[in-house]
Each structure stands twice: as structure tokens, then as C-alpha cells.
């Protein structure tokens, strides 16, 4: 039985989709003013694994993701500068150029992490009319009020407000942590439409029945989710920071406008943190995928690292743990290459024949069905690899089968001969290394990598293999 921890009910629940064997998923996407850091990317990896788990269980997915290219202020609580406008000033570009550049960078990261793209991407700036229409409905139903800097949602008018957070004391208290816009009736009220500042021309602004301005950050997801998936839809995801502000505010708008819960299941991934605390641009300690590549680390090693911690537990990042993940991943690739040396090995079997192998597949399914328990699934895979009772053919079959969920590109490993040219370059690099000509050795390594191969120094000497 497929079970997920549903934040809204604070328990693991059996997943029952609205339409048989179909799952509608909405995931809050990036704010495209900077590169996504590995904390953000942990959340997208978790959501990708969720999709793969659903697919493995026979579901057809319709997945929507937004691109926030306007309206996300530097404080989630409607104060501060628009992140996009800030980014444009920093880079002396237009906000549109900033949005395009970082959207492309984000998509490139997804590819490098083997994260499948959503079926539909929607930009916030493409749904301004629809967002205004939603605010009009809320106005008709008496949920909004106007103050100096914008139009706000009155959370005191909605009895169910904040039910995602659970215990009352977890709700935001007046004056706590966040700066509150002057004139707000309740601390939890949030902006639906912000007016352009009087003394400043914004690059992105639109006319509305209430004045020229831009939408608040919490409205776009409501519009995009419901327009594409209906109300309610099956699953809404994000990271845990969204449990306190963003998602309660989405739920509130949908409930006030349509009288229904927006989605049936709310799944939240825990944060990636550093030993010293939060990873944040303001702390100057963010790590992006290019940093991994500069250190010669396969981005999929980061994916592997994420698999080792349950999505609802904090993942404390360190370079040592990432290198450990890289070693384990390389070991896994080597295992497959070794399996492939078995001449009798053919394409994966469609049906497993032994009870031993079938039992591994059954346990794998049980783990992933139990709220996506990837650490247990990963440990099971290693146990299976070491099990002498399982034939090479069945090992190979099971590995490729499990990888439909792990997403480590195991199927890409082919019986490849290392070309003579690459072998020669590897020998040359080794010669340079023996002669302590580090610069030349490094240049030769770069040449090898340019040709699509990696070289790794192991206790038994350097090993060359195709990039996976
Ligand atoms: P943003 O681009 O700031 O809107 O964030 C993109 C996604 O990353 C959101 O779902 C955030 O909740 C999530 N996120 C932000 N920081 C972290 C972190 N350190 N670990 C995991 N997820 C995060
Ligand atoms: Zn959202």
C-alpha cells in the first residue's frame, strides 16, 4: 500500500488519487534571481523521487511547476525588495533578462541531476490576468482590504486559516521574527497585490482594478495549480519552510474562493543544512552545481547523497560526505561494469525467476511505498549486490529496475571499450604525474574529460571510464 506523510493531517496516509492511477502534482518552483543552491535542489530531487515512486507504482503523472519571475520579496511576509528587481540591479540587466538567464540555469541543473522536467512550466508573469481574476473573486466574497502598500487577504475571515501548521503556538505571532507591513489587520494577513512604489518605476508592473502594481507571491501557485489540475488536485509539495507562510496562504485563497481544499496531500521535504547552520545567499555560504563540477564531482553524487537521508530528516551537508557519496556511486558503476564482463549477460529480464530475487523486488517496493524510504531502499540494493545467491543476470535486472526510482543513470552504462586515444592520454597523464609535472598532468586530465571520459586515481592505479 502506497503511503505518504500528509502534513495537513500530520500522519502517514494511504495515497488515494482522485482519478484511478493518475496523479496530479504541483510543486512550488524556483525564484529565478540567482542560481539554485544545493538546498533548493535537494527539494527538487525529493519531488523527482516522489514522481518516480508514483510511476513505479503504475501512476501516470501530470506535474506542474511555476517559475517565480515576479513578486517574491526578500521577506516571505510581504516586506523588502522584489528579488528579481534586486537581481537586475545587481547585474545591471533587465528583470526579464535575469529571469530568462536563471530559468535556463535552473533547467540545466535539473538535467545534470537527472530530474525530470514537469509536464507544464508556468511563469508567474504569464498569469497576471488570472491572478487578478482570483483576487476579484476574493474581493466579491469579502476577504480583501486595502492599505497603503497594497491589497491584503484578511485571514481572520477564514475560520480554517493556518490548519497546515497544526498546533496553534506554531502560528506566526504579532511582531515575531518577521517585519509586519504597517496597517495590516492581522499579522498573518498577506499581500495579494502590491502597489508600485510612488517614487520608483518598477520594471515589471501591471494595471489592476486596485492600482498599478504586481501580484503577491502566494497567488500564482493557486491559479496555476487549479487551472491545470482542477480543485482539489492530488499532491502539493515544497520544502518545510512553506508550511508556515506560503502554503497556508495558498490554501486560504483557494478555500475562500472555491470553498474547497486545494490539494488532498501536502508533502514537505526537510532542509539541507550546514554544520554551522543555514545555507543562504545572505550568509555567503551557498554551494551550486558548478561548484561540484569544478571539484570534479559528478552532480549525480549529490543525488546519491540525498538518497541516503529520508526526505523528512535534515541533511547536514559537508564536502567529505559528498566525496563519500561520489565513492559509493563510483563503486556502484564499477559493480555494473563488472557484471557486464559476464559474457552470458543479456538485456534485463522481464520476469525474475528465483524467489530470492523476487523477494528483493518485493522489499524494495515495500520501502518506497512506506513514505518514500530511500535510505532503506539504497541499503537493500547494496545487500542484494553482495548476495552470492543472486545470479549476475538477476542482479543486473534488479539494479536497472531499482534505478527507475533512484535515477542514477545506471542504464547508461554500456560495455564500452576505452578508445586507444584515451588510453594513450591516460598513460601520458600518469607519466607526468610520476615526473611530478602536475600542471601538464592536469591539462591532460582536462583533455580526457573533454573527450567524455573521467579518470580517477584508485589504490590499484588510475581508472578511466565514460562519463555517466
Ligand atoms: P526559492 O527559489 O527560494 O523559491 O526556493 C526554491 C525551493 O527550495 C522552495 O521549495 C524552498 O522551500 C526550497 N528550499 C530553500 N532552501 C532550502 C534548503 N536549505 N533545503 C531544502 N530546500 C530548500
Ligand atoms: Zn507555491
Amino acid at each position: 500500500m502506497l503511503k505518504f506523510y500528509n502534513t495537513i493531517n500530520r500522519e502517514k496516509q494511504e495515497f488515494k488519487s482522485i482519478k484511478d492511477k493518475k496523479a496530479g502534482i504541483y510543486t512550488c518552483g524556483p525564484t529565478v534571481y540567482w542560481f539554485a543552491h544545493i538546498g533548493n535542489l535537494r527539494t527538487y530531487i525529493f519531488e523527482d523521487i516522489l514522481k518516480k515512486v508514483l510511476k513505479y507504482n503504475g501512476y501516470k503523472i501530470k506535474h506542474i511547476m511555476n517559475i517565480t519571475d515576479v513578486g517574491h520579496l526578500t521577506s516571505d511576509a510581504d516586506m523588502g525588495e522584489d528579488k528579481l528587481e534586486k537581481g537586475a540591479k545587481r547585474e545591471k540587466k533587465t528583470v526579464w533578462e535575469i529571469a530568462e538567464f536563471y530559468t535556463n540555469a535552473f533547467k540545466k541543473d535539473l538535467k545534470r541531476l537527472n530530474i525530470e522536467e514537469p509536464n507544464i512550466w508556468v511563469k508567474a508573469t504569464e498569469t497576471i490576468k488570472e491572478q487578478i481574476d482570483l483576487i476579484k473573486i476574493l474581493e466579491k466574497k469579502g476577504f480583501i482590504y486595502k492599505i497603503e502598500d497594497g491589497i491584503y487577504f484578511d485571514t481572520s475571515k477564514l475560520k480554517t486559516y493556518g490548519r497546515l501548521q497544526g498546533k496553534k503556538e506554531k502560528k506566526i505571532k504579532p511582531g515575531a521574527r518577521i517585519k509586519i507591513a504597517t496597517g495590516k489587520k492581522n499579522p498573518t494577513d498577506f499581500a495579494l497585490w502590491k502597489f508600485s512604489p510612488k517614487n520608483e518605476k518598477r520594471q515589471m508592473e501591471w494595471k489592476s482594478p486596485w492600482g498599478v502594481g504586481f501580484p503577491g507571491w502566494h497567488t500564482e501557485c493557486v491559479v496555476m495549480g487549479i487551472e491545470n489540475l482542477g480543485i482539489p488536485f492530488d499532491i502539493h509539495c515544497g520544502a518545510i519552510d512553506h508550511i508556515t507562510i506560503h502554503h497556508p496562504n495558498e490554501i486560504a485563497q483557494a478555500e475562500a474562493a472555491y470553498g474547497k481544499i486545494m490539494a488532498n496531500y501536502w508533502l514537505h521535504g526537510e532542509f539541507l543544512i550546514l554544520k554551522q547552520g543555514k545555507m543562504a545567499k545572505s550568509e555567503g555560504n551557498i554551494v551550486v552545481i558548478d561548484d561540484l563540477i569544478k571539484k570534479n564531482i559528478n552532480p549525480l553524487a549529490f543525488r546519491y547523497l540525498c538518497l541516503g537521508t529520508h526526505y523528512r530528516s535534515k541533511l547536514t551537508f559537508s564536502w567529505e560526505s559528498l566525496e563519500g557519496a561520489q565513492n559509493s556511486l563510483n563503486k556502484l558503476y564499477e559493480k555494473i561494469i563488472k557484471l557486464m564482463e559476464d559474457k552470458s549477460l543479456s538485456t534485463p529480464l522481464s520476469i525474475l525467476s528465483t524467489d530470492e530475487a523476487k523477494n528483493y523486488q518485493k522489499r524494495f517496493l515495500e520501502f518506497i511505498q512506506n513514505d518514500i524510504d530511500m535510505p532503506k531502499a539504497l541499503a537493500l540494493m547494496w545487500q542484494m549486490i553482495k548476495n552470492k545467491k543472486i545470479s549476475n543476470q538477476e542482479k543486473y535486472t534488479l539494479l536497472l529496475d531499482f534505478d527507475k526510482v533512484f535515477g542514477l543513470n545506471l542504464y547508461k552504462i554500456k560495455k564500452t571499450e576505452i578508445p586507444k586515444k584515451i588510453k594513450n592520454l591516460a598513460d601520458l597523464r600518469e607519466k607526468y604525474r610520476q615526473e611530478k609535472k602536475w600542471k601538464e598532468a592536469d591539462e591532460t586530465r582536462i583533455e580526457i574529460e573533454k573527450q567524455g571520459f573521467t579518470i580517477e586515481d584508485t589504490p590499484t592505479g588510475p581508472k578511466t571510464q565514460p562519463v555517466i
Side-chain angles (χ1 to χ4, degrees), residues 26 28 221 246 250:
Y26 185 90
C28 294
C221 298
H246 184 52
E250 287 186 19

Side-chain angles (χ1 to χ4, degrees), residues 26-29 66 217 220-221 236 242 246-247 250:
Y26 185 90
T27 56
C28 294
N66 64 313
W217 172 48
E220 61 187 76
C221 298
H236 195 316
H242 289 343
H246 184 52
H247 287 170
E250 287 186 19

Side-chain angles (χ1 to χ4, degrees), residues 238-405:
I240 44 150
D241 55 334
H242 289 343
I243 297 176
T244 45
I245 302 178
H246 184 52
H247 287 170
N249 293 351
E250 287 186 19
I251 292 174
Q253 293 170 82
E255 206 148 350
Y258 308 113
K260 287 182 191 171
I261 183 78
M262 189 175 163
N264 289 335
Y265 297 83
W266 293 78
L267 270 62
H268 293 96
E270 248 292 0
F271 261 34
L272 174 145
I273 54 164
L274 300 168
K275 278 195 194 104
Q276 328 63 286
K278 207 177 148 190
M279 174 175 289
K281 203 174 155 272
S282 53
E283 308 282 326
N285 60 6
I286 69 164
V287 176
V288 298
I289 294 297
D290 277 341
D291 294 328
L292 270 53
I293 290 171
K294 270 184 220 146
K295 286 183 187 266
N296 218 0
I297 293 173
N298 183 347
L300 289 182
F302 177 63
R303 189 177 172 105
Y304 185 98
L305 182 73
C306 292
L307 289 170
T309 303
H310 190 267
Y311 79 91
R312 287 197 294 118
S313 300
K314 283 193 178 64
L315 192 165
T316 309
F317 175 81
S318 68
W319 286 104
E320 295 77 46
S321 59
L322 184 59
E323 276 156 26
Q326 166 96 59
N327 286 340
S328 302
L329 183 62
N330 285 343
K331 243 186 238 157
L332 178 59
Y333 290 157
E334 275 168 30
K335 287 276 175 211
I336 300 217
I337 291 169
K338 258 232 139 61
L339 284 178
M340 284 174 161
E341 284 167 9
D342 182 343
K343 296 252 180 336
S344 65
L345 199 76
S346 61
T347 48
L349 303 166
S350 47
I351 301 168
L352 293 163
S353 51
T354 65
D355 284 346
E356 194 85 18
K358 280 184 201 158
N359 193 31
Y360 275 108
Q361 198 170 39
K362 184 173 156 274
R363 284 167 67 201
F364 178 80
L365 184 65
E366 279 165 7
F367 288 144
I368 63 168
Q369 284 187 335
N370 183 15
D371 197 26
I372 322 176
D373 198 339
M374 298 319 290
K376 287 219 177 103
L378 201 60
L380 182 80
M381 176 197 74
W382 282 110
Q383 201 191 327
M384 185 278 291
I385 289 176
K386 287 181 195 136
N387 189 331
K388 293 205 168 70
K389 288 187 204 146
I390 311 264
S391 69
N392 284 349
Q393 183 64 54
E394 286 198 312
K395 275 187 187 164
Y396 182 60
T397 304
L398 282 169
L399 281 173
L400 292 203
D401 184 56
F402 295 175
D403 203 43
K404 289 177 193 153
V405 182

Side-chain angles (χ1 to χ4, degrees), residues 28-31 37 39-40 43-44 72 83 238-239 241-242 270-272:
C28 294
T31 309
H37 60 63
N40 304 135
T43 297
Y44 299 111
H72 193 168
K83 291 184 178 182
D241 55 334
H242 289 343
E270 248 292 0
F271 261 34
L272 174 145

Side-chain angles (χ1 to χ4, degrees), residues 75-80 175-182 184 187:
S75 147
D76 279 359
D78 307 316
M79 295 295 284
R177 262 188 333 112
I178 49 160
K179 246 179 124 183
I180 293 168
T182 43
K184 261 174 44 166

